[in-house]
Structure formats: C-alpha cells, structure tokens
Amino acid sequence: MFNIPQMRLDRAFELHQEEYESAALRVLRSGWYIFGNEIEAFEGEFAAYIGSKHCIGVGNGLDALCMSVRALGIGKGDEVIVPANTFIASVMSITMNGNDATPVFVEPDEYHNIDPNKIESAITPRTKAILPVHLYGQTCDMSAIMSIADRYDLRVIEDCAQSHGAKHNGRTSGTFGDVGCFSFYPSKNLGAFGDAGAVVTDSDDIADKLRIYRNYGSEKRYHNMVVGVNSRLGEMQSALLRVRLKYLDQNTQMRRDICEYYQNNITNPLILLPKIRKDCECVWHQFVVMINDRSLFIDYLKEHGIGTIIHYPIPPHLQDCYRNLGYKQGDFPIAEQYADHVLSLPVYSGMTAQEQEYIVEVINKWQR
Ligand SMILES: *Cc1c(COP(=O)(O)O)cnc(C)c1O
C-alpha cells in the first residue's frame, strides 16, 4: 500500500533543490530584503511569461484582488458579478478592506466556471465589473465574457490564482481583462515558500495605483498620497519564485500527464470525470471529479492511503460571513450541487507512475 497525500510540495522542491538553495543564500547574503533586484527581476520575468506590460508583486492573492477592485474605482453601492462556486477570496476582495461593494453571484456551467449565458441577466445599472475565476486551472469562456463586458462597459478582473499559464484560444489567462490577479500560495501551480501574489495589467494607470497602494500609499518614501496597505512581495519569495517560474512549464506538463492518465484510465461509472473546453489549454491546478456518496468514497480512499480534498464544501452565499446578503439554501442550486459532490484527487509534481497506477486501480474498484 502507498501513502499518497492529495498534495505534496517536497517532490517539486527536490527536483531543483540546489537552485532554490542558492537563490535563498543569494538573498540572505545580499543584506537587502525588501524592494530590491529580485522583485524587479521577477516582475519583469512574470510579465513576460504572461504577456502583459506590467507585473506588480504583492503580499498574497487576496490583496492582488482587493487592490485591483480598488484601483478600478469600485466601491460602496457598486455591484461585481462573481461565480457562485469559488474560493472565498474572490468574493471577499469585493466586500472587504473598504471596498464595500456587493457581490452578485452567477451559477457555474458544466466546466465549473461562471456560465457566460447567465451573466447578462445578473447585470443591473449598478454593475461595475465581472470577476471571472479560472477554477481548477481551466480558463473561463473569456471571448463571451469580454464581449458582454464591452457591450455593457464593465471592467473585468480575472482571478488567475489557479490558472498560471492556462490559455483560452491560445491567449494566456490574465491578459483578457483590465487586470489578472495571481496567488503564489505554496500549493498553487506557481507557488512561493510562503505567501505571495501579483497583479498583471497593460494599463500604466492601474499599475501606478497598485504600486502606490501596496506600499502605504506612497511612491516617495514618507510621502503618503493615499491611505494604502502593506502588501509587499519580499526579496526572498521573489528570488525563489524566479526559480519556480523557470520550471513552471515543466511542472504544468507533469500535471497534464497525470490528469491525462486519470482521464484515460479511470473507468468506474460511479465517477464523473472533469470536462475541459475545447478552446482551453488547462493547467490542472486540481483534478476534480463528481461523485454520489462522497463521504463513503473519501473514507474508502483514506483506508487505502489516498488523500483527497473538497474544493469547496460550502459556497460563498451560504457562508456565515455573508449572512447579511440574505441568501438561503436553494438560491444557487448548481453551485450547491457541486459543493456536495466535487472531490479533488491527488495531483502534484513528481508523482510516480506507480502512485498514479495505484490510485486508478483503487478508484476503479470502488463500488457502493
Ligand atoms: C488561492 C486563491 C485565492 C487567494 O490567494 P491567497 O494567496 O491565498 O490570498 C484567490 N482566489 C482563488 C480562486 C484561489 O484559489
């Protein structure tokens, strides 16, 4: 029997251990830890990788989203359209930190991304922006979303926390909207060794604002133009992320190979496999199946040494923190049904062929 967690980070580290260690030592020995050569280099390299004019490194993915909402001038009384099935950060960026705008939820489609056919009916005179989330590494239908945004003059904030390098019709996620917001939380496809995030944009104006917000609202030291936050990307994380970025495509390929193997070899009719849009190059942040009797299946896998995680068990509209919005069970039945049935199988760089074969074998033997 194997012991296979849903996710592990040590294997990807070990693949290029010496490079990470020498990058870390370089920073330690430099005597310079905030706003130096490493963040400047990383911002340039990541902007080039995504194909955006600017990259602004920040403290984490939530801050990337929060500051973007603010930079687009969205505030109290404004509405932002967001998928009903997403990680809570996408929604909190709309409501928190003085943004105080209102999230308007839209149901997902069969690909688990915001259903573009349901966006228009959610638009009101107060709608200022759409915040699509490229969930599990699969891009949303950005062609449809951008055409709605153009027609109604809405801003678009892409949540790319799970889609580093994913493409829609050959174009990289994060380059469609006004901004693309990234998290480099350790378990993301491009993960730092601690918290980190970034925003990419082609707009000089938005980039200037974000550079000011992230550092106490100042451009020039001790001159504070607006009330900002402290959300900086340090030299250590920047240096380590530069190594990670070098191997991002290689890591994505490993994820693709694992998920392709699952797609082709999980044949158990009780398991509904993920569907991927034909216009999408998925980066497989998660491999998410749907199943009835989920808790029995989780226990069965656990007994066989296989870890799983639910992304996500409670949709945002049913979270305690949003009770004030007045939603109830049944308001977004598709999102709720996904929350009750989704399950993420193990996917990580460096998973061995034997581990993959074992997982598939155990899953194919599952019966009720
Ligand atoms: C991880 C994640 C975030 C937030 O990133 P943090 O770096 O943890 O703040 C936002 N949106 C989505 C969809 C995520 O998966």
Side-chain angles (χ1 to χ4, degrees):
M1 187 167 115
F2 288 82
N3 184 13
I4 307 174
Q6 198 271 341
M7 193 259 310
R8 57 188 297 174
L9 304 174
D10 52 342
R11 297 259 177 93
F13 172 69
E14 282 157 13
L15 284 174
H16 305 287
Q17 181 163 351
E18 279 169 20
E19 281 186 68
Y20 291 115
E21 290 177 352
S22 79
L25 271 180
R26 183 174 74 232
V27 175
L28 287 174
R29 288 173 177 166
S30 73
W32 193 269
Y33 308 116
I34 297 273
F35 284 145
N37 298 333
E38 300 291 346
I39 184 174
E40 206 164 295
F42 173 70
E43 286 178 339
E45 287 158 14
F46 192 64
Y49 179 84
I50 297 296
S52 288
K53 187 168 173 197
H54 303 280
C55 167
I56 302 93
V58 298
N60 55 69
L62 174 61
D63 283 350
L65 288 159
C66 271
M67 287 190 269
S68 296
V69 169
R70 180 178 176 194
L72 290 169
I74 295 160
K76 207 171 171 62
D78 296 334
E79 293 176 356
V80 178
I81 290 174
V82 64
N85 64 322
T86 182
F87 179 58
I88 200 72
S90 322
V91 186
M92 283 194 178
S93 71
I94 299 166
T95 62
M96 75 180 288
N97 282 356
N99 285 342
D100 294 327
T102 305
V104 173
F105 298 107
V106 167
E107 288 268 48
D109 59 15
E110 62 184 313
Y111 307 100
H112 294 240
N113 276 328
I114 189 166
D115 188 340
N117 297 315
K118 293 182 180 155
I119 291 177
E120 272 193 85
S121 58
I123 295 174
T124 77
R126 297 186 148 189
T127 309
K128 286 281 149 52
I130 309 173
L131 198 158
V133 182
H134 307 294
L135 205 64
Y136 308 145
Q138 172 163 210
T139 48
C140 300
D141 183 354
M142 288 313 293
S143 320
I145 292 170
M146 292 314 295
S147 100
I148 296 168
D150 286 344
R151 237 176 308 132
Y152 290 86
D153 192 24
L154 303 176
R155 309 278 68 78
V156 174
I157 300 157
E158 290 178 72
D159 184 338
C160 304
Q162 304 188 3
S163 71
H164 313 76
K167 291 184 175 138
H168 166 79
N169 284 332
R171 186 167 157 188
T172 310
S173 66
T175 65
F176 292 88
D178 295 272
V179 291
C181 299
F182 290 85
S183 165
F184 308 126
Y185 183 77
S187 64
K188 308 291 187 186
N189 287 26
L190 182 67
F193 294 73
D195 277 310
V199 180
V200 298
T201 182
D202 283 341
S203 157
D204 298 343
D205 175 56
I206 294 171
D208 287 346
K209 284 190 166 123
L210 293 169
R211 290 205 171 94
I212 290 168
Y213 295 164
R214 74 176 172 183
N215 190 30
Y216 295 112
S218 75
E219 201 168 18
K220 194 172 151 207
R221 196 172 239 198
Y222 306 131
H223 292 253
N224 306 88
M225 305 151 76
V226 293
V227 177
V229 294
N230 173 0
S231 185
R232 299 178 292 226
L233 177 58
E235 290 294 283
M236 181 63 83
Q237 297 305 341
S238 301
L240 293 166
L241 279 166
R242 292 178 67 194
V243 182
R244 279 266 201 253
L245 184 58
K246 251 174 81 179
Y247 298 108
L248 177 56
D249 287 341
Q250 188 187 92
N251 275 288
T252 300
Q253 193 52 50
M254 286 186 209
R255 287 175 179 278
R256 285 203 178 113
D257 292 345
I258 295 163
C259 294
E260 197 172 303
Y261 181 74
Y262 286 162
Q263 290 280 37
N264 293 334
N265 293 282
I266 296 176
T267 51
N268 190 329
L270 299 174
I271 316 283
L272 186 64
L273 296 170
K275 293 193 189 85
I276 304 299
R277 303 175 55 85
K278 290 213 168 52
D279 57 31
C280 171
E281 264 174 64
C282 184
V283 295
W284 295 105
H285 176 58
Q286 299 295 349
F287 187 91
V288 178
V289 300
M290 299 245 283
I291 184 154
N292 293 321
D293 300 316
R294 182 175 60 187
S295 57
L296 294 177
F297 184 59
I298 291 171
D299 291 346
Y300 163 81
L301 291 179
K302 203 176 187 181
E303 279 161 25
H304 289 82
I306 299 170
T308 53
I309 302 184
I310 299 169
H311 297 101
Y312 298 93
I314 306 172
H317 71 279
L318 298 178
Q319 294 285 358
D320 285 344
C321 64
Y322 288 127
R323 225 178 270 162
N324 63 316
L325 296 174
Y327 291 108
K328 57 182 189 314
Q329 189 86 34
D331 283 343
F332 298 96
I334 302 173
E336 290 165 24
Q337 124 110 15
Y338 287 177
D340 290 341
H341 293 87
V342 291
L343 192 65
S344 304
L345 302 184
V347 180
Y348 49 81
S349 317
M351 186 189 277
T352 65
Q354 291 93 316
E355 287 171 331
Q356 294 172 47
E357 284 159 21
Y358 174 74
I359 291 167
V360 166
E361 186 189 309
V362 170
I363 289 177
N364 283 339
K365 282 195 191 133
W366 161 251
Q367 51 192 30
R368 268 183 293 200

